């Protein structure tokens, strides 16, 4: 039985809150595993005045209290193995429906060297949550600086993008810049950018954030773009710290 879609309350309420919005999120990224594993910290400065609702959603995601319902199943024509996987995800979604979606445990899932680094692929328990949507925001900020941080305009995706180098080509995608990596963390960004990633021998375009691409990769589709630019080392958000407005939060 397909899970019903539950629409969360609008994020505008968060954006309009009189409480000061946090302006800094620090992510500890666990790279690899075992004794060979390392941890890198990426500090992100946010710009609440530039995109209030988008920043509010990002902060809720970082805090682990982002409200998101379950998506309806749309795999009637999918192979049996995909349907079985989908059913397991639907059950997990319903089991965790009372919990906010969290950035903790999400992965850095795509590295296109010198072009983009994509983070925020949520853990399996949240794979069928429907990212909240809200009114699209625009501002004058561009991806013309190293470390620009952006999210999908108007919501609809948990994932977010960091530019490892100035890259105005990202302005053509439906993204809105909400912050930047701090100067102190730019060396960390360089090291992330240098991590090897898979590359198909065929020339596939890089799909945008959200949409069917993310779901296809979650449910074992043979779509060859799923492994495109996937880091050769697993990179997981192991700790999150939110500071700069109100009470600090650490997860």
């Amino acid at each position: 039985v397909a899970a019903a879609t539950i629409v969360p309350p609008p994020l505008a309420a968060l954006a309009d809150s009189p409480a000061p919005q946090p302006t800094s999120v620090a992510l500890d990224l666990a790279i690899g595993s075992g004794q060979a594993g390392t941890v890198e910290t990426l500090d992100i400065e946010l710009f609440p005045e530039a995109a209030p609702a988008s920043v509010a959603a990002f902060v809720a995601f970082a805090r682990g209290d982002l409200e998101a319902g379950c998506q309806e199943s749309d795999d009637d024509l999918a192979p049996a193995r995909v349907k079985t996987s989908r059913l397991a995800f639907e059950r997990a979604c319903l089991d965790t429906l009372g919990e906010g979606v969290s950035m903790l445990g999400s992965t850095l899932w795509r590295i296109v060297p010198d072009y983009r680094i994509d983070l925020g692929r949520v853990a399996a328990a949240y794979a069928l949550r429907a990212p909240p949507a809200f009114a699209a925001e625009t501002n004058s900020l561009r991806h013309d600086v190293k470390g620009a941080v952006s999210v999908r305009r108007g919501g609809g995706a948990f994932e977010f993008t960091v530019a490892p180098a100035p890259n105005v080509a990202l302005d053509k995608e439906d993204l809105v810049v909400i912050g930047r990596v701090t100067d102190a963390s730019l060396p960390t960004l360089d090291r992330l950018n240098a991590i090897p990633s898979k590359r198909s021998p065929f020339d596939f375009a890089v799909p945008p954030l959200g949409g069917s691409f993310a779901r296809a990769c979650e449910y074992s589709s043979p779509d060859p773009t799923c492994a495109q630019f996937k880091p050769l080392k697993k990179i997981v958000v192991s700790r999150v710290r939110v500071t700069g407005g109100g009470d600090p939060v650490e997860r």
Side-chain angles (χ1 to χ4, degrees):
V1 179
T5 299
I6 300 175
V7 180
L11 286 166
L14 285 174
D16 295 338
S17 172
Q21 289 195 38
T23 55
S24 176
V25 172
L27 306 177
D28 282 1
L29 301 171
I31 303 172
S33 59
Q35 294 183 348
T38 60
V39 176
E40 295 277 8
T41 299
L42 195 68
D43 287 308
I44 298 172
E45 176 188 5
L46 299 174
F47 308 140
E49 69 286 350
S54 299
V55 170
F58 186 86
V59 169
F61 186 30
R63 287 180 177 273
D65 55 16
L66 180 61
E67 296 184 24
C70 292
Q71 300 176 26
E72 292 183 347
S73 176
D74 57 2
D75 286 333
D76 291 340
L77 301 180
R81 61 182 177 81
V82 175
K83 289 182 178 180
T84 300
S85 177
R86 179 87 185 196
L87 182 59
F89 277 104
E90 287 177 350
R91 289 171 176 166
C93 185
L94 292 174
D95 288 344
T96 62
L97 196 54
E99 304 174 11
V101 178
S102 177
M103 193 179 293
L104 187 68
S106 66
T107 58
L108 187 160
W109 57 280
R110 183 165 59 183
I111 299 175
V112 186
D114 301 323
Y115 188 85
R116 69 188 299 160
I117 297 175
D118 293 317
L119 302 92
R121 173 64 54 81
V122 294
Y126 307 121
L128 269 192
R129 294 294 190 92
F134 42 88
E137 297 176 306
T138 59
N139 57 43
S140 61
L141 302 177
R142 303 181 65 200
H143 297 85
D144 57 356
V145 296
K146 179 178 180 177
V149 177
S150 55
V151 298
R152 188 176 181 183
R153 193 185 311 277
F158 297 118
E159 300 93 346
F160 58 99
T161 297
V162 179
N167 182 12
V168 294
L170 288 173
D171 293 336
K172 298 177 183 179
E173 194 174 318
D174 202 16
L175 300 171
V176 59
V177 175
I178 63 167
R180 63 180 290 274
V181 173
T182 64
D183 290 342
S185 280
L186 290 180
T188 295
L189 186 59
D190 290 337
R191 289 189 289 273
L192 294 173
N193 185 55
I195 292 174
S197 58
K198 293 182 180 179
R199 182 67 185 270
S200 168
F202 303 99
D203 187 19
F204 293 110
V206 178
L209 298 185
S212 60
F213 165 71
R215 292 199 299 274
C217 290
E218 299 288 0
Y219 307 125
S220 305
S221 166
D223 182 352
T225 63
C226 285
Q228 184 78 318
F229 298 112
K230 180 179 179 180
L232 295 183
K233 297 179 179 180
K234 188 172 184 179
I235 306 173
V236 179
V237 176
S238 59
R239 187 167 68 148
V240 183
R241 297 177 300 286
V242 183
T243 58
D247 296 329
V249 172
E250 180 171 336
R251 292 180 57 82

